[in-house]
Amino acid sequence: MAEKKKTIRVTQTGSAIRRPRDQRATLIGLGLNKMNRTRELEDTPSVRGMIDKVKHLVRVEEAG
């Protein structure tokens, strides 16, 4: 039986306007470049690191 991958739901809550270029690029890398956009991503250390970089602009929920 295949292992079910853990996912997290990430929603952008803050604007990328007047933010450093690397933070804007991180949001785009997560698939979040507009307010209130939500993405369901695999819970990996690299994704967690990206979320940590822009934690003041996103909301994270466990998806399953």
Side-chain angles (χ1 to χ4, degrees):
M1 187 171 184
E3 221 179 282
K4 187 173 180 185
K5 305 230 181 200
K6 221 175 148 186
T7 60
I8 53 176
R9 187 172 297 122
V10 183
T11 305
Q12 183 176 347
T13 58
S15 175
I17 295 172
R18 298 190 65 165
R19 299 291 176 187
R21 185 176 300 192
D22 60 335
Q23 289 181 9
R24 279 183 272 154
T26 302
L27 287 172
I28 292 170
L30 289 169
L32 305 169
N33 58 345
K34 292 185 179 176
M35 291 286 293
N36 300 313
R37 186 165 283 184
T38 301
R39 291 287 179 255
E40 201 160 309
L41 304 168
E42 190 175 336
D43 191 9
T44 62
S46 59
V47 170
R48 286 286 181 170
M50 293 171 76
I51 290 169
D52 191 51
K53 188 168 190 170
V54 292
K55 62 185 169 212
H56 55 289
L57 300 175
V58 297
R59 181 178 67 235
V60 181
E61 305 164 355
E62 296 295 325

